[in-house]
Amino acid sequence: MSSIKIRTDLALEARENMEENAEECRGVYVEEEYHEESEIKVTRVVIETKNGSRAMGKPVGVYVTLEAPAMALPDEDYHKEISDELAKQLKQIIPGIDGELSVIVIGLGNREVTADALGPNVVDNLTITRHMVREYGKVAYNQKRVHMISGLVPGVMAKTGMETQEIIKGVVEMTSPDVVVVIDALAARSTKRLNRTIQISNAGINPGSGVGNHRNAITEETLGVPVIAIGVPTVVDAATIVSDAFEKMMHLAGEEPLEIQDDLFTGLDELYNMYVTGKDVDYEIKQISHIICNALNTALET
Amino acid sequence: MSSIKIRTDLALEARENMEENAEECRGVYVEEEYHEESEIKVTRVVIETKNGSRAMGKPVGVYVTLEAPAMALPDEDYHKEISDELAKQLKQIIPGIDGELSVIVIGLGNREVTADALGPNVVDNLTITRHMVREYGKVAYNQKRVHMISGLVPGVMAKTGMETQEIIKGVVEMTSPDVVVVIDALAARSTKRLNRTIQISNAGINPGSGVGNHRNAITEETLGVPVIAIGVPTVVDAATIVSDAFEKMMHLAGEEPLEIQDDLFTGLDELYNMYVTGKDVDYEIKQISHIICNALNTALET
Amino acid sequence: MSSIKIRTDLALEARENMEENAEECRGVYVEEEYHEESEIKVTRVVIETKNGSRAMGKPVGVYVTLEAPAMALPDEDYHKEISDELAKQLKQIIPGIDGELSVIVIGLGNREVTADALGPNVVDNLTITRHMVREYGKVAYNQKRVHMISGLVPGVMAKTGMETQEIIKGVVEMTSPDVVVVIDALAARSTKRLNRTIQISNAGINPGSGVGNHRNAITEETLGVPVIAIGVPTVVDAATIVSDAFEKMMHLAGEEPLEIQDDLFTGLDELYNMYVTGKDVDYEIKQISHIICNALNTALET
Amino acid sequence: MSSIKIRTDLALEARENMEENAEECRGVYVEEEYHEESEIKVTRVVIETKNGSRAMGKPVGVYVTLEAPAMALPDEDYHKEISDELAKQLKQIIPGIDGELSVIVIGLGNREVTADALGPNVVDNLTITRHMVREYGKVAYNQKRVHMISGLVPGVMAKTGMETQEIIKGVVEMTSPDVVVVIDALAARSTKRLNRTIQISNAGINPGSGVGNHRNAITEETLGVPVIAIGVPTVVDAATIVSDAFEKMMHLAGEEPLEIQDDLFTGLDELYNMYVTGKDVDYEIKQISHIICNALNTALET
């Protein structure tokens, strides 16, 4: 049992940890669906109670994960299948999507760091309609029903000097959207999931989820409107990589290394400021941005 | 006398038009200063009264222009001279700069269009301190007095679906800066001024200045705090180019073409959706962004 | 009759000038095709003789133009139609495409200037196969027949200090492709054609076509292998804009301004170093890059 | 003693390994210099013999390393000190720099991956003179003596389909420079050196140095002219991170884990396709690009 804090932003992985480490937990429901032909696996984790939330280290909410092994590989037809499945799931989770919504889509992350540029990439290429509808009415789109879509790339605190939450809150109060969609690059627990998994959730973004600091939360609670989060694990913490290798080795050696482990990681503090990415990160981020952008355009079409 | 609407964002050019076309106007004062050695010309236009404002087509306020012929050419020492002069002028125009300010610097414009990326470029490279001061206090900078500097690149309406003013207003209300500095690429009246002139003003940004639509104004009036605008003419409207050539030709021909001109421009509507840039626009924008960024860093150091 | 040199890189426009200004010319054949439903117009200009070349100011060769009014507007299905038509035309003009080719695709232009970044954008997103085929054989693609595709973005002379031709010639000699495809942003004669027209030609790239300096030509003659050029007019010279407006005005006034015109343009030298673009240039370039990239991927698939 | 292959591109680190693991080696000379005030440490490793080359796993040549703890931190004056020291070292290692040289500066790496964009960033901002000197002579610079400087960003094999060496060789044969300077992002052995160290060498670039495959070498041997390499460690291989933590832990436990280690790393193959970067990689790469660009401009001024 590892004594270092392993960070994961995926409910799927939080649940895997639970299965290994603890008895079955109440208030957490899981459904799985596997599309034989497209090899897309959809997992729906619903955390219903505070107990469940505590056990999972994640807020109450619905977490849907799409896993597809070839997500980032070059195959445009396959990307369309994933993007259609994602659109379907988005339509189920975005409240009021059958009516007319004002939706703001927010791309979190630093556009100058390849693995973190997912959110900005998606918003840069999204179909934006709010200004047209406000200026010309629905006629601009020859339609009776149109969602008003706006987009924002707030930047990261190191470059803005502001909490991302401050920026978003200000813009939300000024423009009064019905729903906020945030897109973010996540840290995964396992290298196998890098750029192969998309998670959508109505629990919003909770930095340090459950572990304290909610100052930066981007959630219905903090913004006053429903927040749908779309996340893709694009990095693994360096500390996680080391811890994994360490556990694997101990397992092979059949040893119980509990007493030395804390010392070990004490000396490896710097690992918490480093992250690990695959060598094709630029290509893979581009592919997945494209998938998410198309899914949002499809889901928000009327 | 031209019958088409000539657009200029420079008070300097508005005043030149006046001198040519009308009698001396009350309520507008002009001072010029020429630095022999550095070839930098500083012009200070102060519009004091509503009369002056009406005559100039610009709001009441102080407009300082730096002109330097070699502004965009490769000469790092010379850039330092311009940037030092600009810092000096900024210190005079930013209210309360001798104390401790919270300043938000906003880079207007579209970062994907070379001539419009000036503002985003400046903010991308600015020294940002607000988050550090809030987290660690002034100790973070070993200083007794530190300005809290934040930065924002809001994007353009075609990509956000929101008025830039909406975004800025929301962020200003949430983060309560003492001063807003906005940086923008402007349209000039004359190709001679392209990337050779920097204007700073305490009148903020007034689209369609004085001619009506103030919905988008980014000013002390709309934001509730002083707004300092830094602008550089990086494009000329295509209609302006044509009009100039036209007037020049008429002058050479000694003719009076008043009766045909309206028809002419009626047929050239598309010109109002086009702009003219120099062929080295990428290099020149980079140089001037660098100058403004350094000037702001210098002016806001304590 | 205009006395300034009007620059056009489109055979289509060269031919329009001819029709207006001179008698029918021998050695130049023109076919037009209009796809009612898709509103795509395909014009095929074949310059067969030296006479024809002289009259057109363009080298002997085949020039195919696709015009589509909504080319740069947001409509993914329509883009697919244009891109399929372009792929069809490319298959006809690339020699040996039914066998197995080694093709190098070269993106000319400056990636830091929006209107000039078309070529780099296309190559950045192209499917590249040469290194895989060389490393693993055709097995890498589960196919019997595979084209080896490589890509190059040489940069512009102001940034490399080298003629683009020098760079390309060196790389072609070292890697021995069967065919060179060059993609470039062109100057158009008319604002109506901006980002609405794609020209492909087997005559390569001829700067100052027919007017002298062939130092920079990127053609079968200079490279030793067939050169297919794909060009899109993304800018208009500022001088062209002025000249157009001028002619229009003279026409309206019913005058004959021949004697003053030279003086006029003598004073407007700077216009030759400026260019005009539309205000949505970033969006439009992105759309057209996408169309060309898809067309090349389709045409070069096996 | 680690049984996995640890990759380092720094002669400095190769030498540190030697000191720990083997007896003193002949044919390798080391000089160190420490600038008290600026905290810059300059280490000069000269590999003179084949024996030395074998022991170090690096080709015969001169390797100069500048280490400066604050290299990537925001301090413009300090950057000038480092850049001046680097310019001094470059002047010593570039043969013939006191005369008139034709120098091509080549930025290796993938401009779309932040940690790999160092080379492209430097070349994008370098002063390029070759085209001006060829067009207008030295008069263009008002000088008697001018180096002709050209620049190239060849791209990476995954995007060009060509070996980088093929591209460079072709361009070098066509433009006949006297000296080639290549700039590259390296993999370091230790996270402590990330973005804190610059290595220059006259041994060129040797992928898999000494371990076999020289197909891609960019050296005087393969290009026919002297090759000066400038390298900065910007990433650490994920396998190195794990191996380091592993050794540290074994050391703490006082154990001898030789028998299990091979198994461990057999299961961690994927780590060889991943790399580790610091979280401020975008800012740090920008700072160091700036330092190297300034150093080259200074060294190549006349």
Coordinates of all heavy atoms in Angstrom, one line a residue, chain A residues 110 112-114 159 191 194 237-238 241-242 245-246 248-250 252-253 255 260 263-264 267-268 270-279 281-282 286, chain D residues 110 112-114 159 191 194 237 241-242 245-246 248-250 252-253 255 260 263-264 267-268 270-279 281-282 286:
Chain A
N110 N -2.8 26.0 -20.4 CA -1.8 27.0 -20.9 C -1.5 26.6 -22.4 O -1.0 25.6 -22.7 CB -0.5 26.8 -20.1 CG 0.6 27.7 -20.5 OD1 0.6 28.3 -21.6 ND2 1.7 27.7 -19.7
E112 N 0.6 27.5 -24.3 CA 2.0 27.4 -24.8 C 2.7 26.1 -24.3 O 3.9 25.9 -24.6 CB 2.8 28.6 -24.3 CG 2.3 29.9 -24.9 CD 3.2 31.1 -24.7 OE1 4.4 30.9 -25.0 OE2 2.7 32.2 -24.4
V113 N 2.0 25.3 -23.6 CA 2.5 24.0 -23.2 C 1.7 22.9 -23.9 O 0.5 22.8 -23.6 CB 2.5 23.8 -21.6 CG1 2.9 22.4 -21.3 CG2 3.4 24.8 -21.0
T114 N 2.3 22.1 -24.7 CA 1.6 21.2 -25.6 C 0.6 20.4 -24.9 O -0.6 20.3 -25.3 CB 2.6 20.3 -26.4 OG1 3.7 21.1 -26.8 CG2 2.0 19.7 -27.6
K159 N 0.3 33.2 -15.7 CA 0.4 34.2 -16.8 C -0.7 35.3 -16.6 O -0.6 36.3 -17.3 CB 0.1 33.5 -18.1 CG 1.2 32.5 -18.4 CD 1.2 32.2 -19.9 CE 2.6 31.8 -20.4 NZ 2.6 31.7 -21.8
T191 N -0.1 5.4 -17.2 CA 0.3 5.8 -18.5 C -0.6 5.2 -19.6 O -0.7 5.7 -20.7 CB 1.7 5.4 -18.8 OG1 1.8 4.0 -18.5 CG2 2.7 6.1 -17.8
L194 N -3.3 7.7 -20.9 CA -2.9 8.9 -21.5 C -3.4 9.1 -22.9 O -3.2 8.2 -23.8 CB -1.3 9.0 -21.7 CG -0.6 9.5 -20.4 CD1 0.9 9.7 -20.8 CD2 -1.2 10.8 -19.9
D237 N 1.8 12.5 -13.3 CA 2.8 13.1 -12.5 C 4.1 12.2 -12.4 O 4.0 11.0 -12.4 CB 2.3 13.2 -11.0 CG 1.5 14.5 -10.8 OD1 1.8 15.5 -11.5 OD2 0.5 14.5 -10.0
A238 N 5.2 12.8 -12.4 CA 6.5 12.1 -12.3 C 6.5 11.2 -11.0 O 7.0 10.1 -11.0 CB 7.7 13.0 -12.3
I241 N 4.7 7.9 -11.6 CA 5.5 7.0 -12.4 C 6.5 6.2 -11.5 O 6.7 5.0 -11.6 CB 6.4 7.8 -13.5 CG1 5.5 8.4 -14.6 CG2 7.4 6.9 -14.1 CD1 5.1 7.4 -15.7
V242 N 7.2 7.0 -10.7 CA 8.2 6.4 -9.8 C 7.5 5.4 -8.8 O 7.9 4.3 -8.6 CB 9.0 7.4 -9.0 CG1 9.8 6.8 -7.9 CG2 9.8 8.2 -10.0
A245 N 6.5 2.1 -10.5 CA 7.7 1.2 -10.8 C 8.1 0.6 -9.5 O 8.5 -0.6 -9.4 CB 8.8 2.0 -11.4
F246 N 8.1 1.4 -8.4 CA 8.5 1.0 -7.1 C 7.6 -0.2 -6.6 O 8.1 -1.2 -6.2 CB 8.4 2.2 -6.2 CG 8.7 1.9 -4.8 CD1 10.0 2.0 -4.3 CD2 7.7 1.6 -3.9 CE1 10.3 1.8 -3.0 CE2 8.0 1.4 -2.5 CZ 9.3 1.5 -2.1
K248 N 5.7 -2.1 -8.3 CA 5.9 -3.2 -9.2 C 7.1 -4.1 -8.8 O 7.1 -5.3 -8.7 CB 6.0 -2.8 -10.7 CG 6.1 -3.9 -11.6 CD 6.0 -3.5 -13.1 CE 6.1 -4.7 -13.9 NZ 6.3 -4.4 -15.3
M249 N 8.2 -3.3 -8.5 CA 9.4 -4.0 -8.2 C 9.3 -4.7 -6.8 O 9.8 -5.8 -6.7 CB 10.5 -2.9 -8.1 CG 11.9 -3.6 -7.9 SD 13.0 -2.3 -7.2 CE 12.2 -2.0 -5.6
M250 N 8.6 -4.1 -5.9 CA 8.4 -4.7 -4.6 C 7.6 -6.0 -4.7 O 7.9 -7.0 -4.1 CB 7.7 -3.7 -3.6 CG 8.6 -2.6 -3.1 SD 10.1 -3.3 -2.3 CE 11.4 -2.3 -3.1
L252 N 7.5 -7.9 -7.3 CA 8.4 -8.9 -7.9 C 9.3 -9.5 -6.8 O 9.6 -10.7 -6.8 CB 9.2 -8.3 -9.0 CG 8.4 -8.0 -10.3 CD1 9.4 -7.2 -11.3 CD2 7.9 -9.3 -11.0
A253 N 9.8 -8.6 -6.0 CA 10.7 -9.1 -5.0 C 10.0 -9.7 -3.8 O 10.7 -10.3 -2.9 CB 11.6 -7.9 -4.5
E255 N 8.6 -8.2 -1.3 CA 9.1 -7.6 -0.1 C 8.0 -6.6 0.5 O 7.0 -6.3 -0.2 CB 10.3 -6.8 -0.3 CG 11.5 -7.7 -0.7 CD 12.8 -7.0 -0.7 OE1 13.0 -6.0 0.1 OE2 13.7 -7.4 -1.4
I260 N 10.8 2.2 4.5 CA 11.7 3.1 3.8 C 11.1 4.1 2.9 O 11.6 5.1 2.5 CB 12.8 2.4 3.0 CG1 12.1 1.6 1.9 CG2 13.7 1.5 3.9 CD1 13.1 1.2 0.8
D263 N 10.9 8.0 3.5 CA 12.2 8.7 3.3 C 12.5 8.9 1.8 O 12.9 9.9 1.3 CB 13.3 7.8 3.9 CG 13.2 7.8 5.4 OD1 12.6 8.7 5.9 OD2 13.8 6.8 6.0
L264 N 12.2 7.8 1.1 CA 12.5 7.9 -0.4 C 11.8 9.1 -1.0 O 12.4 9.9 -1.6 CB 12.0 6.6 -1.0 CG 11.9 6.6 -2.5 CD1 13.3 6.8 -3.1 CD2 11.3 5.3 -3.1
G267 N 12.9 12.7 -0.4 CA 14.0 13.2 -1.2 C 13.7 13.4 -2.6 O 14.5 13.9 -3.4
L268 N 12.4 13.1 -3.0 CA 12.1 13.3 -4.4 C 11.0 14.4 -4.6 O 10.2 14.3 -5.5 CB 11.6 12.0 -5.0 CG 12.7 10.9 -5.0 CD1 12.0 9.6 -5.5 CD2 13.8 11.2 -5.9
E270 N 11.0 17.2 -5.8 CA 11.0 17.9 -7.1 C 10.1 17.2 -8.1 O 9.6 17.8 -9.0 CB 12.4 18.0 -7.7 CG 13.0 16.6 -7.8 CD 14.4 16.6 -8.5 OE1 15.0 17.7 -8.6 OE2 14.9 15.6 -8.8
L271 N 9.9 15.9 -7.9 CA 9.0 15.1 -8.8 C 7.6 15.7 -8.9 O 6.9 15.5 -9.9 CB 9.0 13.6 -8.4 CG 10.3 12.9 -8.6 CD1 10.1 11.4 -8.2 CD2 10.8 13.0 -10.0
Y272 N 7.2 16.3 -7.8 CA 5.9 16.9 -7.8 C 5.7 18.1 -8.7 O 4.6 18.6 -8.9 CB 5.4 17.2 -6.4 CG 5.1 15.9 -5.6 CD1 6.1 15.4 -4.7 CD2 4.0 15.2 -5.8 CE1 5.9 14.2 -4.0 CE2 3.7 14.0 -5.1 CZ 4.7 13.5 -4.2 OH 4.4 12.4 -3.5
N273 N 6.8 18.6 -9.1 CA 6.8 19.8 -10.0 C 7.1 19.4 -11.4 O 7.4 20.2 -12.3 CB 7.7 20.9 -9.5 CG 7.1 21.6 -8.4 OD1 6.0 21.9 -8.4 ND2 7.9 21.9 -7.4
M274 N 7.1 18.1 -11.7 CA 7.4 17.6 -13.0 C 6.3 16.7 -13.6 O 5.6 16.1 -12.8 CB 8.7 16.8 -13.0 CG 9.8 17.5 -12.1 SD 11.4 17.0 -12.6 CE 11.6 17.8 -14.1
Y275 N 6.2 16.7 -14.9 CA 5.2 15.7 -15.4 C 5.8 15.0 -16.6 O 6.7 15.3 -17.2 CB 3.9 16.4 -15.7 CG 4.0 17.5 -16.8 CD1 4.2 17.2 -18.1 CD2 3.8 18.8 -16.4 CE1 4.2 18.2 -19.1 CE2 3.9 19.8 -17.4 CZ 4.1 19.5 -18.7 OH 4.1 20.5 -19.6
V276 N 5.1 13.9 -16.9 CA 5.5 12.9 -17.9 C 4.5 12.9 -19.0 O 3.3 12.9 -18.8 CB 5.6 11.5 -17.3 CG1 6.1 10.5 -18.3 CG2 6.5 11.5 -16.0
T277 N 5.0 13.0 -20.3 CA 4.2 13.0 -21.4 C 4.8 12.0 -22.4 O 5.9 11.7 -22.4 CB 4.0 14.3 -22.1 OG1 5.3 14.8 -22.5 CG2 3.3 15.3 -21.3
G278 N 3.9 11.5 -23.3 CA 4.4 10.7 -24.4 C 5.1 11.5 -25.5 O 4.9 12.7 -25.5
K279 N 5.9 10.9 -26.3 CA 6.7 11.6 -27.3 C 5.9 12.1 -28.4 O 6.3 13.0 -29.2 CB 7.9 10.8 -27.7 CG 8.9 10.7 -26.6 CD 10.2 10.1 -26.9 CE 11.2 10.4 -25.7 NZ 12.3 9.5 -25.5
V281 N 3.0 13.7 -28.1 CA 2.0 14.5 -27.4 C 1.4 15.6 -28.3 O 0.2 15.8 -28.3 CB 2.6 15.2 -26.1 CG1 3.8 16.1 -26.5 CG2 1.6 15.9 -25.4
D282 N 2.2 16.2 -29.2 CA 1.6 17.2 -30.1 C 0.5 16.7 -31.0 O -0.5 17.2 -31.2 CB 2.7 18.0 -30.9 CG 3.5 17.1 -31.7 OD1 3.7 15.9 -31.4 OD2 3.9 17.5 -32.8
K286 N -3.7 17.2 -30.8 CA -4.4 17.7 -31.9 C -5.6 16.8 -32.3 O -6.7 17.3 -32.5 CB -3.4 17.8 -33.1 CG -3.6 19.1 -33.9 CD -2.7 19.0 -35.1 CE -1.4 19.7 -35.0 NZ -0.6 19.7 -36.2
Chain D
N110 N 11.1 19.8 -32.7 CA 9.7 20.0 -33.1 C 9.1 21.2 -32.5 O 8.9 21.3 -31.3 CB 8.9 18.7 -32.6 CG 7.5 18.7 -33.0 OD1 6.9 19.7 -33.5 ND2 6.8 17.5 -32.8
E112 N 6.2 22.2 -32.3 CA 4.9 22.1 -31.7 C 5.0 21.4 -30.3 O 3.9 21.3 -29.7 CB 3.9 21.4 -32.6 CG 3.7 22.2 -33.9 CD 2.5 21.7 -34.7 OE1 1.5 21.5 -34.1 OE2 2.7 21.6 -35.9
V113 N 6.2 21.0 -29.9 CA 6.3 20.4 -28.5 C 7.2 21.4 -27.7 O 8.4 21.6 -28.1 CB 6.9 19.0 -28.6 CG1 7.2 18.5 -27.2 CG2 6.0 18.1 -29.3
T114 N 6.6 21.9 -26.7 CA 7.3 23.0 -25.9 C 8.7 22.7 -25.6 O 9.6 23.5 -25.9 CB 6.5 23.3 -24.6 OG1 5.1 23.3 -24.9 CG2 6.8 24.6 -24.1
K159 N 7.3 14.4 -39.0 CA 6.5 15.4 -39.7 C 7.0 15.6 -41.1 O 6.3 16.2 -41.9 CB 6.5 16.7 -38.9 CG 5.8 16.6 -37.6 CD 5.5 18.0 -37.1 CE 4.2 17.9 -36.3 NZ 3.8 19.2 -35.8
T191 N 17.6 15.7 -13.2 CA 16.6 16.8 -13.2 C 17.2 18.1 -12.7 O 16.8 19.2 -13.1 CB 15.4 16.5 -12.3 OG1 15.9 16.2 -11.0 CG2 14.7 15.3 -12.7
L194 N 18.2 20.3 -15.8 CA 17.1 20.8 -16.7 C 17.1 22.3 -16.8 O 16.9 23.0 -15.8 CB 15.7 20.3 -16.2 CG 15.3 18.9 -16.6 CD1 13.9 18.7 -16.2 CD2 15.6 18.7 -18.0
D237 N 14.5 11.5 -19.6 CA 13.8 10.3 -19.9 C 13.0 9.8 -18.7 O 13.6 9.7 -17.6 CB 14.7 9.2 -20.4 CG 15.0 9.3 -21.9 OD1 14.1 9.8 -22.7 OD2 16.1 8.9 -22.4
I241 N 14.3 8.8 -14.6 CA 13.7 9.2 -13.3 C 13.5 8.0 -12.4 O 13.8 8.0 -11.2 CB 12.4 9.9 -13.6 CG1 12.5 11.2 -14.3 CG2 11.5 10.1 -12.4 CD1 12.8 12.4 -13.4
V242 N 12.9 7.0 -13.0 CA 12.6 5.8 -12.2 C 13.9 5.1 -11.7 O 14.0 4.7 -10.6 CB 11.8 4.8 -13.1 CG1 11.6 3.4 -12.4 CG2 10.4 5.4 -13.4
A245 N 15.3 7.0 -8.8 CA 14.6 6.8 -7.5 C 14.9 5.4 -7.0 O 15.1 5.2 -5.8 CB 13.1 7.0 -7.8
F246 N 14.9 4.5 -7.9 CA 15.2 3.1 -7.5 C 16.6 2.9 -6.8 O 16.7 2.4 -5.8 CB 15.2 2.3 -8.8 CG 15.4 0.9 -8.7 CD1 14.4 0.0 -8.3 CD2 16.7 0.4 -8.9 CE1 14.7 -1.4 -8.2 CE2 17.0 -1.0 -8.7 CZ 16.0 -1.9 -8.4
K248 N 18.3 5.2 -5.4 CA 18.3 5.9 -4.2 C 17.7 5.1 -3.1 O 18.2 5.0 -1.9 CB 17.5 7.2 -4.3 CG 17.6 8.1 -3.1 CD 17.0 9.5 -3.4 CE 17.1 10.3 -2.1 NZ 16.3 11.5 -2.1
M249 N 16.6 4.5 -3.4 CA 15.9 3.7 -2.4 C 16.7 2.5 -2.0 O 16.8 2.1 -0.8 CB 14.6 3.2 -3.0 CG 13.7 2.5 -2.0 SD 12.5 1.5 -2.9 CE 13.6 0.3 -3.7
M250 N 17.4 1.8 -3.0 CA 18.2 0.7 -2.6 C 19.3 1.1 -1.7 O 19.7 0.4 -0.8 CB 18.8 0.1 -3.9 CG 17.8 -0.7 -4.7 SD 17.0 -2.0 -3.7 CE 15.3 -1.8 -4.1
L252 N 19.3 3.5 0.4 CA 18.7 3.7 1.7 C 18.5 2.4 2.4 O 18.7 2.3 3.6 CB 17.4 4.5 1.6 CG 17.5 6.0 1.3 CD1 16.1 6.5 1.0 CD2 18.2 6.8 2.4
A253 N 18.1 1.4 1.7 CA 17.7 0.1 2.3 C 19.0 -0.7 2.5 O 18.9 -1.8 3.1 CB 16.7 -0.6 1.4
E255 N 20.5 -2.5 0.3 CA 20.3 -3.8 -0.4 C 21.1 -3.9 -1.7 O 21.5 -2.9 -2.3 CB 18.8 -4.0 -0.7 CG 18.0 -4.1 0.6 CD 16.6 -4.5 0.4 OE1 16.4 -5.3 -0.6 OE2 15.7 -4.2 1.2
I260 N 16.7 -8.5 -9.6 CA 15.3 -8.2 -10.0 C 15.2 -7.0 -11.0 O 14.3 -6.9 -11.7 CB 14.4 -7.8 -8.8 CG1 14.9 -6.6 -8.1 CG2 14.3 -9.0 -7.8 CD1 13.8 -5.9 -7.3
D263 N 14.1 -7.5 -14.7 CA 12.7 -7.8 -14.8 C 11.9 -6.5 -14.7 O 11.0 -6.3 -15.5 CB 12.3 -8.8 -13.7 CG 12.9 -10.1 -13.9 OD1 13.3 -10.4 -15.0 OD2 12.9 -10.9 -12.9
L264 N 12.3 -5.8 -13.7 CA 11.5 -4.5 -13.5 C 11.4 -3.7 -14.8 O 10.4 -3.3 -15.2 CB 12.2 -3.7 -12.4 CG 11.7 -2.3 -12.2 CD1 10.2 -2.3 -11.9 CD2 12.5 -1.6 -11.2
G267 N 9.3 -4.7 -17.8 CA 7.9 -4.4 -17.8 C 7.7 -2.9 -18.0 O 6.5 -2.4 -18.0
L268 N 8.7 -2.1 -18.1 CA 8.5 -0.7 -18.1 C 8.9 -0.1 -19.5 O 9.4 1.1 -19.5 CB 9.2 0.0 -17.0 CG 8.7 -0.3 -15.6 CD1 9.5 0.3 -14.5 CD2 7.2 0.1 -15.4
E270 N 7.5 1.1 -21.9 CA 6.8 2.3 -22.4 C 7.5 3.6 -21.9 O 7.4 4.6 -22.5 CB 5.3 2.3 -21.9 CG 5.3 2.2 -20.4 CD 3.8 2.3 -19.9 OE1 2.9 2.2 -20.7 OE2 3.7 2.4 -18.6
L271 N 8.2 3.4 -20.8 CA 8.9 4.6 -20.2 C 9.9 5.2 -21.2 O 10.3 6.4 -21.1 CB 9.6 4.2 -18.9 CG 8.7 3.9 -17.7 CD1 9.6 3.7 -16.5 CD2 7.7 5.1 -17.5
Y272 N 10.4 4.3 -22.1 CA 11.4 4.8 -23.1 C 10.7 5.7 -24.1 O 11.4 6.3 -24.9 CB 12.1 3.7 -23.7 CG 13.1 3.0 -22.7 CD1 12.8 1.9 -22.1 CD2 14.3 3.7 -22.5 CE1 13.6 1.3 -21.1 CE2 15.2 3.1 -21.5 CZ 14.8 1.9 -20.9 OH 15.7 1.4 -20.0
N273 N 9.4 5.7 -24.2 CA 8.7 6.6 -25.1 C 8.1 7.8 -24.4 O 7.2 8.5 -25.0 CB 7.6 5.8 -25.9 CG 8.3 5.0 -27.0 OD1 9.2 5.4 -27.7 ND2 7.8 3.7 -27.1
M274 N 8.5 8.0 -23.2 CA 7.9 9.1 -22.5 C 9.1 10.0 -21.9 O 10.2 9.6 -21.7 CB 7.1 8.6 -21.3 CG 6.3 7.4 -21.7 SD 4.9 7.2 -20.5 CE 3.9 8.6 -21.0
Y275 N 8.7 11.3 -21.7 CA 9.8 12.1 -21.1 C 9.2 13.0 -20.1 O 7.9 13.2 -20.0 CB 10.5 12.9 -22.2 CG 9.7 13.9 -23.0 CD1 9.2 15.1 -22.4 CD2 9.4 13.6 -24.3 CE1 8.5 15.9 -23.2 CE2 8.7 14.5 -25.1 CZ 8.2 15.6 -24.5 OH 7.5 16.5 -25.2
V276 N 10.1 13.5 -19.2 CA 9.7 14.3 -18.1 C 10.1 15.7 -18.2 O 11.3 16.0 -18.6 CB 10.3 13.7 -16.8 CG1 9.9 14.4 -15.6 CG2 10.0 12.2 -16.7
T277 N 9.2 16.7 -18.0 CA 9.6 18.1 -18.0 C 9.1 18.8 -16.8 O 8.2 18.3 -16.1 CB 9.0 18.8 -19.2 OG1 7.6 18.6 -19.2 CG2 9.5 18.3 -20.5
G278 N 9.7 19.9 -16.5 CA 9.3 20.8 -15.4 C 8.0 21.5 -15.8 O 7.6 21.6 -16.9
K279 N 7.3 22.0 -14.8 CA 6.0 22.6 -15.0 C 6.0 24.0 -15.6 O 5.1 24.5 -16.2 CB 5.1 22.5 -13.8 CG 4.6 21.1 -13.6 CD 3.6 20.9 -12.5 CE 3.1 19.4 -12.6 NZ 2.5 18.9 -11.4
V281 N 8.0 24.7 -18.1 CA 8.8 24.5 -19.3 C 8.6 25.6 -20.4 O 9.6 26.0 -21.0 CB 8.5 23.1 -19.9 CG1 7.0 23.0 -20.3 CG2 9.4 22.8 -21.1
D282 N 7.4 26.1 -20.6 CA 7.3 27.1 -21.6 C 8.0 28.4 -21.3 O 8.8 28.9 -22.2 CB 5.8 27.5 -21.8 CG 5.1 28.0 -20.5 OD1 5.5 27.5 -19.5 OD2 4.2 28.8 -20.6
K286 N 11.6 29.7 -23.3 CA 11.6 31.1 -23.9 C 12.9 31.8 -23.4 O 13.6 32.5 -24.2 CB 10.4 31.8 -23.4 CG 9.7 32.6 -24.5 CD 8.6 33.4 -24.0 CE 7.2 32.8 -24.2 NZ 6.1 33.7 -23.7

